[in-house]
Amino acid sequence: LDRADSGYCVTDNAGGVWGPFDLILDASGRNSELMKYSETPPRIRPLKWGALWTTLRWPEDPTFAANTLSQRYQKAHTMIGVLPLGAMPQDSRSHLAFFWSLKVSEYDAWRRRGLKPWKTRVLDVWPETKVLLEQIGAEDQLELAQYSHHTMGRPYGPGVVFIGDAAHATSPQLGQGANMALLDVYAFANAMARYSGNLNAVARDYAARRRFHIRLFQALSLFLTPFYQSDNRLLALFRDTLFDPGSRIPFVSKLVAGMIAGTLGNPFKPRDD
């Protein structure tokens, strides 16, 4: 990120220069290379657990729900997920994401053991995934997703504003990554409409509008993640025993619905002056 006479420029990894721009909106994710330009660069906290991910064709036999994330757990140390994706740009057939919870430190050992023992383990937990596992023939088909936690105190800097995981990243257990990014854009658009002639004011207003909601969901994610990805048997027992009946209590079900929808904490409320 460089200051030019007429704005700000970005140089990509290939040496190409983009710009100049009045303001750069960074949506490049948790590994953003522009984070150092924030007024408050975040302290990044890597998380122990990640997941193996791959994209597969939707099976002809409709074993899985076409509009629902399906998951299977054994305590909190084992998690398998099937997420419908719809059609891909290069293939009109329906696809899905398949994922398996894994400690980052165990990835190399998983590769050394090969696919056979892993597939056996998956089938022990979820036999219906056999039709999916048949599409996986090499370890390289599965990418290791590594997660981290960080929150910028001020998601902006000279000539740049950060949104989405570039500004605030955490475990995906709440499924709110895309929601949070869209809400960031909504807040930024409102700030632009209000202070379009003053980009410094735009950045401050955007950050103020999102501050409480982001911190609320960051805290919820940090609190809830060990119930779904950890070696803690007591947390898994608590989850399996109380989460389902508890979520049927009217007040609690409303809170859960707001958490899943990303509306808990009223993210649309305008900032008070």
Side-chain angles (χ1 to χ4, degrees):
L1 181 64
D2 299 301
R3 179 68 187 265
D5 292 339
S6 54
Y8 293 87
C9 297
V10 176
T11 303
D12 63 30
N13 291 331
V17 178
W18 300 79
F21 304 105
D22 294 329
L23 184 68
I24 294 165
L25 199 60
D26 182 5
S28 57
R30 73 176 188 91
N31 293 320
S32 168
E33 296 185 13
L34 299 181
M35 285 184 188
K36 60 186 177 183
Y37 297 104
S38 166
E39 287 193 7
T40 56
R43 182 176 65 87
I44 298 175
R45 172 184 165 188
L47 301 180
K48 292 182 180 179
W49 289 80
L52 297 171
W53 284 80
T54 189
T55 301
L56 304 172
R57 295 185 306 276
W58 192 265
E60 294 183 6
D61 179 17
T63 304
F64 308 98
N67 58 356
T68 305
L69 166 64
S70 301
Q71 292 177 281
R72 294 291 184 276
Y73 287 89
Q74 280 190 346
K75 299 183 172 60
H77 57 69
T78 299
M79 174 183 67
I80 312 171
V82 174
L83 176 65
L85 297 177
M88 307 295 286
Q90 68 277 16
D91 190 340
S92 61
R93 292 175 295 181
S94 293
H95 287 70
L96 57 86
F98 178 83
F99 56 92
W100 167 268
S101 185
L102 185 72
K103 284 183 179 178
V104 175
S105 61
E106 296 178 357
Y107 176 66
D108 290 339
W110 173 84
R111 287 188 64 92
R112 287 195 298 271
R113 287 193 294 268
L115 290 178
K116 186 174 181 179
W118 172 72
K119 287 186 176 183
T120 299
R121 176 75 179 116
V122 174
L123 291 173
D124 285 343
V125 179
W126 199 352
E128 290 80 6
T129 61
K130 181 179 179 181
V131 66
L132 303 179
L133 296 180
E134 290 172 349
Q135 299 183 46
I136 302 175
E139 292 83 356
D140 289 340
Q141 284 182 249
L142 294 132
E143 292 284 340
L144 176 65
Q146 301 183 54
Y147 309 132
S148 61
H149 184 93
H150 74 255
T151 308
M152 287 183 179
R154 297 177 182 171
Y156 55 84
V160 61
V161 167
F162 300 89
I163 66 171
D165 283 357
H168 44 80
T170 190
S171 156
Q173 292 305 319
L174 292 183
Q176 292 301 306
N179 276 1
M180 293 292 106
L182 290 170
L183 290 169
D184 288 349
V185 173
Y186 175 86
F188 179 79
N190 275 269
M192 281 290 291
R194 193 172 189 181
Y195 299 106
S196 59
N198 185 339
L199 294 180
N200 289 330
V202 168
R204 291 192 298 269
D205 187 70
Y206 152 70
R209 287 172 182 268
R210 293 293 293 131
R211 185 171 291 119
F212 172 76
H213 189 249
I214 287 169
R215 279 161 175 71
L216 172 63
F217 274 82
Q218 295 288 87
L220 286 170
S221 182
L222 275 179
F223 172 72
L224 290 172
T225 290
F227 288 89
Y228 297 95
Q229 281 189 305
S230 73
D231 292 313
N232 193 313
R233 296 190 176 191
L234 287 178
L235 290 181
L237 178 62
F238 184 88
R239 177 200 70 204
D240 293 342
T241 304
L242 297 179
F243 276 25
D244 181 53
S247 66
R248 302 182 189 188
I249 300 172
F251 174 73
V252 176
S253 65
K254 186 176 181 179
L255 288 177
V256 172
M259 185 170 60
I260 298 301
T263 57
L264 188 66
N266 195 2
F268 302 111
K269 182 180 180 180
R271 182 175 72 92
D272 294 329
D273 290 323

